[in-house]
């Protein structure tokens, strides 16, 4: 009964406090954990920094708890400590450096229960000035120098940079406070050397100031290359050049590195050796006579150059063609000539000329002149001039013989011509070099000329004819060679001539006055012009034609059988051919009543009239009889009255 309230209290405490742990002996909860930086979150280099971790834990019972503290810099665990005391955990950073900059967190573990503080950033400012040391201050060309750069008192990954004359020479990343660089100076003079470093704290880096500057004096080696060329002056094409590349002051070489000599002409290496190089060549004016002697000792290179002026024996030949424009199989001549000749060495007659390919269908008529027939196709010629063992080539001459124009063809552009309307005539030759002059003729008399310069162009002429037979008077003449007097002539133009249609006439059979019901009606449409002709018959008020037909003659008809009153109306026709379409005048057709209907109506009228006359006669006869009866009756009554009067009087 005593344990029940205690167990209930422990369960409620566990339910409402998730950081608590309950067992039969004790219970506890981690209420909070914080991390602070002392003396401040931003300190200068050399400050003694304390990282303080404070945990607030509530527990029951007297027995101390086993606590495990962990300190993190970023994601790295840098310190761990187990303790049973409730005092704050202190982590010391004596003489702090930039490498100590970062975000710190504190974590605690008590019997499997964990809690972690928020991150607090520590910033350490200031880097020590780097120091530079060289093992030599005065060196010769190519001599090695050892440079040592130090970052005093710094820690972490350090990126060192070595500068010579304000240019970065080498870079190294080390986990050390110093680094060594190997230097080799290949240029003579004074060179300023300094170094810097950066401490890497990802994603940031912190750069130091520049180190002390050391001036290095580099002395020139007395050993040099020597270039000698013979002869030394008045060098002509064909002369033999003797070239020597050697070393001066070989005994004063302070370096133990191997020695190499290289003799070059432009980018072409002529020869190489260790102490002396000899080379012979024939002088040519067309090649650049620039020679270089290069001495290499380790990384040191010394160069001397000479330019040799060479006088031409004769100039590069030129090749010309006469005439400048030629046609296939026409006569032509090629002339080779070198304009300049060094008369102090050779005569103009000493220069010989030939063609490449050699004399192909051409023969030499005199020195430098070659004559013959042109080829049927394009051909390339090169002139070769030779004297004193020197050979020179002209630029290649491409001979493109023109092709004579073929007999032209003449046609109508649209394939047909319409009488009285403008149309175009096309003149064309299947073969022939451009430009081509086309002339349109009318019975051998020129009408007009046009020039075609490109294959995509056409020679078109606009004309008009008044009679169909005039179409055969046109011809074409083509010309592309002014030397030919008889130019090719086409055949006479043969093309279809379309005669436009005249206004059609619409004829009605039978005569309009005789058109009656039951008859056959013929509408005849006729015109003049080129067939085929399409005829259309219309009645005013109808959307579609009543009848359509195409005929190879100039007239046709439309027949209506068994006429009725409904066939009456206004009619007209349309005639169409390839030139135009025309309409007739309108004709009104009135369908008369049939003769038997007229006779029947007349008969009926006669019968009705006879009946009316008979009725009238009978009527008048009946009237007359009645009047006579009334008169007799009146006479009888008068007599009776008189008798009564007479009797009364009596």
């Amino acid at each position: 009964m005593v344990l029940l309230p205690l167990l209930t209290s422990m369960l409620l405490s566990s339910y409402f406090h998730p950081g608590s742990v309950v067992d039969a002996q004790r219970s506890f909860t981690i209420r909070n954990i914080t991390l602070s930086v002392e003396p401040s979150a931003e300190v200068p280099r050399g400050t003694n920094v304390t990282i303080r971790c404070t945990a607030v834990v509530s527990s029951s019972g007297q027995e101390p708890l086993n606590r495990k503290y962990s300190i993190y810099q970023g994601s790295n665990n840098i310190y761990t400590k187990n303790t049973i005391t409730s005092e704050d955990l202190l982590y010391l950073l004596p003489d702090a450096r930039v490498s100590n900059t970062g975000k710190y967190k504190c974590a605690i573990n008590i019997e499997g229960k964990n809690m972690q503080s928020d991150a607090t950033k520590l910033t350490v400012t200031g880097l020590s000035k780097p120091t530079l040391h060289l093992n030599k201050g005065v060196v010769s060309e190519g001599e090695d120098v050892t440079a040592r750069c130090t970052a005093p008192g710094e820690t972490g990954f350090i990126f060192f940079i070595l500068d010579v004359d304000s240019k970065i020479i080498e870079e190294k990343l080390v986990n050390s406070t110093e680094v060594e660089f190997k230097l080799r100076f290949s240029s003579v003079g004074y060179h300023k050397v300094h170094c810097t470093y950066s401490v890497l704290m990802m994603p940031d880096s912190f750069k130091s100031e520049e180190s002390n500057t050391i001036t290095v004096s580099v002395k020139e080696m007395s050993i040099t290359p020597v270039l000698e060329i013979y002869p030394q002056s008045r060098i002509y094409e064909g002369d033999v050049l003797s070239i020597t590349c050697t070393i001066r002051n070989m005994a004063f070489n302070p370096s133990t590195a191997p020695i190499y000599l290289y003799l070059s002409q432009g980018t072409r290496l002529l020869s190489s050796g260790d102490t002396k190089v000899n080379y012979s060549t024939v002088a040519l004016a067309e090649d650049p006579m620039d020679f270089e002697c290069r001495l290499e000792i380790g990384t040191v290179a010394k160069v001397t150059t000479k330019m040799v002026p060479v006088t031409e024996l004769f100039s590069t030949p030129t090749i010309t063609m006469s005439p400048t424009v030629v046609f296939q199989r026409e006569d032509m001549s090629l002339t080779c000539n070198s304009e300049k000749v060094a008369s102090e060495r050779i005569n103009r007659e000493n220069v010989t000329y030939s063609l490449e390919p050699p004399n192909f269908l051409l023969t030499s008529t005199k020195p430098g002149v070659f004559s013959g027939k042109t080829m049927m196709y394009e051909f390339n010629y090169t002139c070769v001039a030779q004297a004193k063992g020197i050979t020179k080539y002209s630029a290649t001459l491409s001979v493109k013989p023109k092709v004579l124009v073929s007999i032209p063809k003449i046609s109508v552009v649209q394939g047909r011509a319409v009488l009285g309307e403008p149309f175009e005539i096309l003149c064309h030759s299947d073969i022939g070099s451009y430009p081509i002059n086309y002339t349109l003729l009318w019975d051998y008399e020129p009408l007009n000329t046009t020039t075609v310069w490109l294959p995509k162009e056409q020679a078109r002429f606009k004309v008009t004819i008044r009679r169909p037979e005039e179409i055969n008077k046109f011809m074409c003449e083509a010309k592309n060679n002014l030397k030919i007097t008889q130019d090719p002539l086409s055949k006479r133009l043969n093309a279809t001539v379309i005669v436009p249609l005249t206004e059609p006439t619409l004829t009605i059979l039978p005569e309009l006055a005789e058109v009656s019901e039951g008859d056959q009606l013929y509408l005849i449409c006729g015109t003049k012009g080129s067939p085929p002709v399409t005829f259309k018959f219309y009645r005013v008020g109808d959307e579609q034609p009543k009848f359509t037909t195409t005929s190879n003659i100039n007239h046709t008809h439309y027949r209506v059988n068994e006429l009725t009153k409904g066939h009456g109306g206004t009619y007209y026709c349309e005639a169409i051919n390839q030139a135009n379409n025309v309409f007739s005048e309108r004709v009104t057709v009135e369908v008369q009543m049939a003769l038997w209907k007229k006779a029947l109506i007349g008969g009926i009228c006669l019968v009705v009239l006879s009946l009316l006359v008979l009725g009238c006669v009978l009527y008048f006869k009946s009237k007359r009889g009645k009047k006579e009866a009334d008169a007799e009756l009146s006479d009888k009554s008068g007599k009776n009255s008189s008798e009564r009067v007479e009797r009364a009087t009596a």
Side-chain angles (χ1 to χ4, degrees), residues 139-241:
V139 295
S140 299
E141 289 179 291
E143 190 175 351
D144 289 338
V145 176
T146 300
R148 185 173 67 252
C149 185
T150 304
E154 299 300 334
T155 59
F157 285 95
I158 302 177
F159 189 71
F160 287 94
I161 301 173
L162 185 68
D163 285 76
V164 177
D165 297 331
S166 299
K167 293 182 180 179
I168 296 176
I169 301 301
E170 193 172 354
E171 300 170 331
K172 286 185 179 181
L173 177 64
V174 296
N175 188 14
S176 174
T177 58
E178 68 177 25
V179 69
E180 286 191 353
F181 298 96
K182 291 294 184 180
L183 291 176
R184 183 173 293 171
F185 297 93
S186 58
S187 58
V188 176
Y190 294 96
H191 301 277
K192 295 183 180 298
V193 185
H194 72 269
C195 69
T196 58
Y197 69 90
S198 296
V199 177
L200 303 182
M201 298 297 296
M202 299 303 294
D204 301 319
S205 64
F206 303 88
K207 187 175 181 180
S208 73
E209 60 181 308
E210 292 183 359
S211 71
N212 56 302
T213 299
I214 299 177
T215 301
V216 178
S217 176
V218 181
K219 299 182 297 182
E220 184 179 9
M221 292 186 193
S222 58
I223 183 172
T224 57
V226 178
L227 179 62
E228 296 177 322
I229 301 176
Y230 297 96
Q232 297 181 346
S233 62
R234 300 298 293 173
I235 300 174
Y236 288 86
E237 285 181 310
D239 291 349
V240 177
L241 298 179

Side-chain angles (χ1 to χ4, degrees), residues 419-569:
L419 196 68
E421 295 183 7
F423 62 94
E424 286 188 319
I425 293 177
L426 174 65
C427 293
H428 172 71
S429 293
D430 293 331
I431 300 174
S433 299
Y434 297 96
I436 302 174
N437 294 325
Y438 290 98
T439 301
L440 183 66
L441 306 177
W442 170 274
D443 266 350
Y444 298 99
E445 292 296 327
L447 292 180
N448 197 3
T449 299
T450 186
T451 302
V452 173
W453 297 89
L454 298 171
K456 63 181 181 180
E457 296 177 356
Q458 291 181 329
R460 295 190 177 198
F461 304 92
K462 185 172 286 188
V463 297
T464 304
I465 58 175
R466 300 299 175 186
R467 295 189 302 274
E469 58 271 16
E470 293 178 357
I471 195 74
N472 301 117
K473 294 182 180 292
F474 292 106
M475 293 181 290
C476 271
E477 183 183 72
K479 185 182 188 69
N480 68 347
N481 189 351
L482 300 177
K483 301 175 185 177
I484 296 178
T485 57
Q486 188 64 38
D487 297 311
L489 191 65
S490 73
K491 297 180 180 179
R492 291 183 177 272
L493 178 59
N494 184 13
T496 301
V497 178
I498 306 299
V499 179
L501 297 173
T502 61
E503 180 180 338
T505 57
L506 182 60
T507 304
I508 305 296
L509 291 178
E511 297 292 336
L512 289 175
E514 299 175 1
V515 177
S516 300
E517 291 180 313
D519 291 345
Q520 286 187 340
L521 178 68
Y522 289 89
L523 286 81
I524 302 172
C525 187
T527 184
K528 292 182 180 179
S530 296
V533 181
T534 298
F535 293 95
K536 295 183 179 181
F537 292 85
Y538 297 90
R539 184 172 67 173
V540 176
D542 294 344
E543 294 183 0
Q544 299 298 325
K546 305 298 291 183
F547 179 67
T548 301
T549 185
T550 300
S551 175
N552 286 321
I553 56 177
N554 289 351
H555 63 271
T556 190
H557 69 275
Y558 166 47
R559 184 178 67 183
V560 181
N561 296 319
E562 298 293 332
L563 278 174
T564 64
K565 282 288 188 178
H567 290 113

Side-chain angles (χ1 to χ4, degrees), residues 234-307:
R234 300 298 293 173
I235 300 174
Y236 288 86
E237 285 181 310
D239 291 349
V240 177
L241 298 179
S242 296
I243 306 171
T244 303
C245 178
T246 58
I247 301 174
R248 180 181 293 130
N249 298 327
M250 180 66 181
F252 296 95
N253 178 23
S255 175
T256 59
I259 298 175
Y260 297 98
L261 281 175
Y262 299 97
L263 178 63
S264 303
Q265 181 184 4
T267 59
R268 184 164 61 99
L269 181 64
L270 302 178
S271 184
S272 62
D274 49 6
T275 59
K276 186 176 183 180
V277 174
N278 294 317
Y279 186 78
S280 295
T281 186
V282 176
L284 298 174
E286 61 188 29
D287 291 338
M289 293 284 104
D290 294 331
F291 297 94
E292 176 187 278
C293 178
R294 182 181 180 88
L295 168 65
E296 291 185 1
I297 306 175
T299 59
V300 178
K302 292 180 175 291
V303 175
T304 182
T305 60
K306 280 188 178 181
M307 194 275 291

Side-chain angles (χ1 to χ4, degrees), residues 624-638:
R624 185 183 303 169
K626 187 176 181 183
K627 286 182 179 180
E628 289 178 353
D630 289 341
E632 290 178 359
L633 184 58
S634 296
D635 288 343
K636 289 179 179 181
S637 297

Side-chain angles (χ1 to χ4, degrees), residues 20 42 66 93 116 158 166 175 177 251 279 308 326 331 339 358 406 460 473 518 540 560:
S20 64
E42 183 173 343
N66 291 320
L93 295 174
Q116 191 177 79
I158 302 177
S166 299
N175 188 14
T177 58
Y279 186 78
V308 179
V326 293
D331 291 331
E339 185 177 352
S406 61
R460 295 190 177 198
K473 294 182 180 292
V540 176
V560 181

